[in-house]
Amino acid sequence: MNNFQSDLVFNTPNQDSPTCSSDVNVAVDDLTDIEMRNKLKHHIIKKTDTIRDKLQYVSLKYDIVKNLFNRYSLTILIVSALITLSDALKLLIIQFISNNNLTLDSKMIDFTLNIISLVMGTFMTVIASIIRFQNYREKMEKLKEMQDKFIHIKALYNRELAILKLTKNEEKSLINEVQEKLSDYDTIVDEVNIISEITNDEMIAFSKKISKFKVSIADIKNKESVRLNNIFSTST
């Protein structure tokens, strides 16, 4: 509840200037029911906006890590299949040369295909080492856990907001209960440290990407509105 003590304090509307003698801080207990509800609603909206932004950052980071992991895993599968194919072709070619008494140097072909298999095997080992070194699976699990926690907490905030909107002139115990729950939710949100998985440079890049996305959506909606207005104006 301590988080709200600094958030839910404001000056009386009689104040005219910062030095006015009528300036007094109104404590939380002195707030009217409407004032308290408005403060709690404002707090919920502010927190849900923060969660939305953090969720977007986490989701973008998760997509990047997932795409890298899938790309490297697919590369390992392809290279492994090529190594198997190379070994099978080597046996078939050598057998074909010996059965048909061709003048081709089977030892040179065997040596070349062995070198190719060795190079591909080394490449596959390097890719597997990168996956283990970067801990892509562990990062994906942590980011997924953050996503689930943000989505769950956001739903809880929205539930408390609905309670404030649907209940009128209830006992003050209901408001206090909502306030206590919001304080617990705030603690959970603050404990989720996205900086541990997302660097500052990535945050800046993600912010630019999200900003461009919002601008593109707004532009599409504006164009849609203009087209609809043109259709309605021509039909009338």
Side-chain angles (χ1 to χ4, degrees):
M1 193 178 295
N2 294 332
N3 293 341
F4 288 96
Q5 295 299 325
S6 60
D7 209 15
L8 302 182
V9 174
F10 61 95
N11 292 330
T12 58
N14 294 327
Q15 69 179 48
D16 296 326
S17 66
T19 58
C20 178
S21 60
S22 63
D23 289 351
V24 291
N25 287 334
V26 180
V28 172
D29 294 338
D30 297 330
L31 293 175
T32 65
D33 181 76
I34 295 177
E35 291 170 339
M36 188 65 177
R37 288 173 184 273
N38 290 336
K39 283 291 181 179
L40 291 175
K41 289 176 183 178
H42 174 73
H43 180 81
I44 292 174
I45 293 172
K46 183 173 66 174
K47 279 295 182 179
T48 51
D49 288 342
T50 301
I51 292 174
R52 180 198 61 201
D53 294 338
K54 289 184 176 181
L55 184 58
Q56 288 177 329
Y57 293 141
V58 172
S59 298
L60 288 172
K61 179 66 175 182
Y62 178 83
D63 289 340
I64 291 175
V65 176
K66 181 181 178 181
N67 290 336
L68 286 173
F69 177 77
N70 290 340
R71 192 178 305 162
Y72 285 138
S73 299
L74 181 60
T75 301
I76 290 177
L77 291 175
I78 293 175
V79 172
S80 177
L82 290 176
I83 292 175
T84 304
L85 178 63
S86 175
D87 293 338
L89 286 175
K90 179 181 67 175
L91 295 176
L92 290 174
I93 292 173
I94 293 175
Q95 184 178 5
F96 180 79
I97 292 173
S98 60
N99 290 339
N100 293 275
N101 296 322
L102 299 178
T103 58
L104 296 175
D105 189 351
S106 60
K107 293 183 178 180
M108 180 59 67
I109 294 175
D110 180 61
F111 175 77
T112 303
L113 291 177
N114 284 336
I115 292 296
I116 294 174
S117 297
L118 179 62
V119 171
M120 289 191 295
T122 303
F123 178 74
M124 186 174 64
T125 303
V126 171
I127 296 297
S129 299
I130 292 175
I131 293 177
R132 288 195 296 269
F133 178 76
Q134 294 293 337
N135 290 326
Y136 286 124
R137 286 186 180 274
E138 183 180 348
K139 289 181 179 179
M140 288 169 60
E141 291 176 357
K142 288 182 179 179
L143 292 169
K144 186 62 178 176
E145 182 180 349
M146 290 181 183
Q147 280 183 320
D148 295 339
K149 188 171 292 186
F150 281 140
I151 293 172
H152 178 65
I153 292 298
K154 187 176 181 181
L156 294 177
Y157 274 117
N158 289 332
R159 185 186 65 181
E160 301 305 321
L161 181 61
I163 292 174
L164 293 173
K165 289 181 178 180
L166 295 175
T167 57
K168 301 293 183 183
N169 299 323
E170 298 287 342
E171 295 181 1
K172 200 171 185 63
S173 59
L174 175 65
I175 303 299
N176 291 335
E177 182 180 350
V178 172
Q179 183 176 339
E180 290 177 358
K181 288 182 179 179
L182 293 180
S183 181
D184 294 336
Y185 301 159
D186 293 345
T187 301
I188 296 175
V189 172
D190 293 338
E191 288 175 351
V192 181
N193 183 21
I194 66 174
I195 302 299
S196 62
E197 299 296 330
I198 305 175
T199 64
N200 292 332
D201 291 337
E202 287 176 332
M203 292 277 283
I204 295 173
F206 292 163
S207 297
K208 292 179 179 178
K209 189 173 183 178
I210 293 171
S211 178
K212 290 181 180 179
F213 174 76
K214 290 180 179 179
V215 170
S216 299
I217 293 297
D219 184 53
I220 292 173
K221 290 182 177 180
N222 289 334
K223 290 180 179 179
E224 180 183 11
S225 178
V226 171
R227 290 175 182 174
L228 290 174
N229 290 333
N230 292 334
I231 293 173
F232 291 145
S233 61
T234 53
S235 61
T236 57

